[in-house]
């Protein structure tokens, strides 16, 4: 009997760097066979990519996490995963205050997301302290912007030796 792939919904908040990270995560998940949904009520897994840069962004991130947490009782959501800057800065505090959060990842743990989603018996909820990993390429990126535009994230540098 074929196992049904989990349906994943994602909310991306904050700056264009978060947009790029979210697009890379979505592309990686689609390439791995996960189904995507734009309707959080239908999602088995909801990922909230947070921003923690300024106070209003922190508030928006926490409010969004709480809104998505309601889908664990009012929707199909089985896993609520929080990623991004706010998760990195306040990971354990958020886990302590919002028990509906199943997993917490910082910006360096995105490549671990697939295995975290698939793990039925997780040994930890806070993955922020695990060693950082980086995607090697943008080949699996799923653009969420208009077809004629895309953000370029240069903050992590480039491993190509073209210059």
């Amino acid at each position: 009997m074929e196992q049904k792939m989990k349906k994943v919904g994602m909310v991306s908040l904050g700056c264009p760097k978060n947009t790029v990270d979210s697009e890379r995560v979505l592309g990686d998940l689609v390439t791995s066979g996960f189904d995507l949904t734009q309707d959080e009520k239908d999602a088995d897994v909801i990922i909230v990519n947070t921003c923690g840069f300024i106070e209003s962004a922190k508030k928006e991130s926490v409010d969004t996490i709480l809104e998505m947490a309601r889908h664990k009782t009012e929707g199909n959501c089985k896993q609520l995963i929080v990623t991004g800057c706010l998760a990195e800065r306040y990971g354990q505090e958020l886990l302590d205050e919002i028990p509906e959060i199943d997993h917490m990842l910082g910006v360096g743990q995105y490549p671990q997301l697939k295995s975290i989603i698939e793990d039925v018996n997780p040994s930890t909820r806070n993955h922020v302290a695990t060693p950082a990993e980086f995607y090697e390429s943008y080949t699996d990126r799923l653009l969420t912007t208009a077809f004629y535009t895309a953000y370029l994230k240069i903050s992590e540098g480039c491993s190509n030796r073209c210059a």
Side-chain angles (χ1 to χ4, degrees):
M1 183 158 133
E2 188 177 317
Q3 182 181 2
K4 179 183 160 235
M5 288 306 280
K6 294 180 180 176
K7 196 177 286 191
V8 179
M10 181 172 229
V11 178
S12 187
L13 305 169
C15 67
K17 286 170 60 174
N18 266 14
T19 300
V20 171
D21 288 339
S22 294
E23 290 175 346
R24 293 173 88 181
V25 165
L26 291 171
D28 195 29
L29 293 173
V30 166
T31 300
S32 299
F34 288 92
D35 293 325
L36 299 183
T37 180
Q38 292 183 7
D39 188 350
E40 290 87 8
K41 290 181 293 214
D42 292 336
D44 300 310
V45 178
I46 298 176
I47 303 166
V48 181
N49 192 3
T50 62
C51 179
F53 187 64
I54 58 176
E55 199 58 40
S56 61
K58 291 178 200 174
K59 181 179 179 345
E60 178 186 30
S61 290
V62 170
D63 289 347
T64 301
I65 294 167
L66 293 171
E67 180 185 340
M68 294 302 113
R70 286 197 297 269
H71 293 292
K72 290 187 84 174
T73 56
E74 299 171 5
N76 291 330
C77 184
K78 312 277 185 300
Q79 285 183 306
L80 177 59
I81 300 172
V82 177
T83 67
C85 302
L86 189 75
E88 197 161 281
R89 290 181 67 192
Y90 302 102
Q92 193 57 50
E93 184 180 339
L94 288 167
L95 284 169
D96 292 342
E97 296 294 320
I98 308 173
E100 295 88 353
I101 298 172
D102 295 294
H103 296 283
M104 187 72 59
L105 288 80
V107 297
Q109 287 80 39
Y110 293 122
Q112 301 169 22
L113 196 52
K114 287 185 300 194
S115 62
I116 290 168
I117 290 172
E118 293 170 340
D119 189 359
V120 292
N121 295 312
S123 59
T124 185
R125 293 172 60 212
N126 191 346
H127 306 272
V128 173
T130 60
E133 297 178 33
F134 296 97
Y135 288 113
E136 289 298 316
S137 74
Y138 282 92
T139 57
D140 295 331
R141 183 173 169 187
L142 178 67
L143 294 179
T144 59
T145 56
F147 74 93
Y148 52 83
T149 185
Y151 289 107
L152 175 62
K153 183 176 170 183
I154 59 171
S155 64
E156 292 170 359
C158 178
S159 60
N160 293 328
R161 297 183 179 158
C162 56

